[in-house]
Amino acid sequence: MTDTNTPANVEDAPKRSLNFIQEIVEEDNRTGKWGGKVHTRFPPEPNGYLHIGHAKSICLNFGLAKKYGGKCNLRFDDTNPVKEEQEYIDAIIEDVRWLGFDWDGEPLYASSYFEQMYEWSVQLIKDGKAYVCDLPLEKVRELRGSLKTPGKNSPFRDRPVDESVDLFEKMRKGDFPDGSKTLRAKIDMTHANMNLRDPVMYRILHATHPRTGSDWCVYPMYDWAHGLEDSIEGITHSICTLEFEDHRPLYDWFLNALGLHHPQQIEFARLELTHTLMSKRKLLELVQDNTVTGWDDPRMPTLRGMRRRGYPAESIRDLCDKVGVAKMHSTVEFALLEHCVRNTLNKTAPRFMGVLNPLKVVIENYPENESEELDAINNPENPSAGTRKVPFSREIYIERDDFMEDPPRKFFRLGIGREVRLRYAYFVTCTEAIKDETGEVVELRCTYDPATRGGDAPDGRKVKGTIHWVAANHAIPAGIRLYDHLFDKENPNDAPDGKDYRVNLSDNSLTVLADAMVEPALKGTAPGFHLQFERTGYFCVDLDTTPEKLFFSQTVSLKDAWAKMKKKDK
Ligand code: ATP
Ligand code: MG
């Protein structure tokens, strides 16, 4: 065994903590490949809202620029007007900023480069490296062959250059209907990599683009456009997900054919989370068929949804940091994300008392028509958050679950004849449970010990349980929404033959509690306010809140499933 304390190893240590992309960047900086420049980009297609997978790409690209004193562009890959909308552009800009990243100047758009791309394609035609093909798209696909069989040349492959130039100009002018012609690169129909079998560069689409309107009716395909966008912007490291590995030779081919600035494409494994779908197409389906209330439904894996649910941006960045950057596919436990959320909120979220399923309690020896104020700690993790006053009176609400008529020995909450501590208040003993005609307990009668105010019993008597409560006359009613995974299955795509991912939708992803009662101190809190209801979980004031009624979304429970899993692993 080598001695791990040698100075050489100590020096090596920080290097080993780099991810493989940082290693590439540092090597490039060392060799001067880009003259010390680091320029990345985050290139979303504005055909949906950003999700947690995009967050990984954002953290990676903006993170590299930050770490190496470089730049990162926000660039919209807006090359398919059929699916793209201004709504998505606006939302993406806002969400990237919300996640904590910014860029110089205005965001950039692939559509700004359409004219330049067009000129370059004419150049390729003239160089004999591209041609107009009259085959319909199905036929193009058919002649492409398969992984096992080579493709076949298009009968239009060798048409004269001038004819292709002329036809391409007419395509641009709008002389031909959708799908009737394409512009294709002339590479090799027998290439082992199918992406190089004369790929389509342009298709005809008579569609209105959110930015260029009806200026164009030919639109560039991703593989053709993307490298050009990177090149125009002077990108050094073009980082994308693994499914583009097979496209890299084409990315390289186009840039070499044109002799342009040639960024290096680097692929990494996309982020996958258990119980979560990351396909924008499927997320759009859930929105369109009203399975969820919108892109910002708190159960959605979108940044909007997570933000509304109360996940702080910091915890999402923390997750991206924790999972790292790899070349190998893996699925991350959703519980790890929740662990990150809890870690952030534990430090920052003020504590309150809220009763989700109220059960009325009358404290018989407490004077009627009186009340008092008790001191409560705002955040035990953060003493500078101070204290607040909580009103107490003869009638209070406690959680239904905190009482059992016939409790087992280990139930350390209320039962008849049992004593518990009311958080920040007094010891109370239950004397009687009052039932309605159906036998349901509707009210408890208790007595309290005035000598235990805000502390212990002077006689040294102990209680095992502490429960939360709110004063009935002071509490404010609230609606509470509890959430669970949208999909029961760890892999939502794992559906039986003939069925789709929707069979895995959970029936329990949303529970609405209409009659909760919360501390009066929460009055007037605005949407986005994070808090912890003691003993219950972290919550966030929801967008649906009005001056008349507060609504809370549950962010995450208090139980750390991730920590438990880790313990089991050991
Ligand atoms: P689609 O192409 O199906 O519309 P997409 O998820 O690839 O969806 P883009 O808007 O093209 O969406 O993604 C923008 C960037 O985010 C791309 O560079 C893409 O590689 C990256 N990205 C998308 N999903 C993930 C993910 N799950 N993990 C990491 N990066 C992702
Ligand atoms: Mg994509």
Side-chain angles (χ1 to χ4, degrees), residues 42-45 47 51 53-54 56-57 241 268 270-271 280:
F42 171 64
E45 183 181 355
N47 61 353
H51 53 58
H54 294 117
K56 166 132 184 200
S57 177
T241 41
F268 72 101
R270 52 172 60 229
L271 172 68
K280 280 191 275 185

Side-chain angles (χ1 to χ4, degrees), residues 140-183:
V140 171
R141 225 167 279 136
E142 196 188 309
L143 293 187
R144 225 174 144 217
S146 67
L147 285 174
K148 291 197 180 114
T149 56
K152 293 200 182 87
N153 284 351
S154 158
F156 303 97
R157 195 172 202 263
D158 292 318
R159 78 179 352 152
V161 165
D162 289 350
E163 194 177 304
S164 275
V165 171
D166 182 52
L167 285 170
F168 189 45
E169 206 179 306
K170 289 191 171 127
M171 278 167 68
R172 180 200 175 150
K173 279 205 198 117
D175 288 0
F176 305 116
D178 286 4
S180 59
K181 287 187 180 8
T182 54
L183 182 73

Side-chain angles (χ1 to χ4, degrees), residues 41-58 60-61 75 77 83 92 222 226 239-244 268-273 278-281:
R41 84 285 172 267
F42 171 64
E45 183 181 355
N47 61 353
Y49 281 65
L50 296 181
H51 53 58
I52 179 97
H54 294 117
K56 166 132 184 200
S57 177
I58 296 169
L60 177 57
N61 281 293
R75 178 215 308 148
D77 209 346
K83 292 192 174 158
I92 290 170
Y222 177 89
H226 202 82
I239 297 160
C240 59
T241 41
L242 278 182
E243 66 274 22
F244 291 101
F268 72 101
R270 52 172 60 229
L271 172 68
E272 301 285 353
L273 282 180
M278 302 267 195
S279 152
K280 280 191 275 185
R281 179 178 66 75

Side-chain angles (χ1 to χ4, degrees), residues 2 13 57 94 168 242 305 336 379 437 522 546 548-549 559:
T2 49
S57 177
E94 193 184 316
F168 189 45
L242 278 182
L336 177 58
N379 186 349
E437 56 284 2
L522 283 162
T546 61
E548 287 73 48
K549 185 145 184 184
K559 275 189 221 98

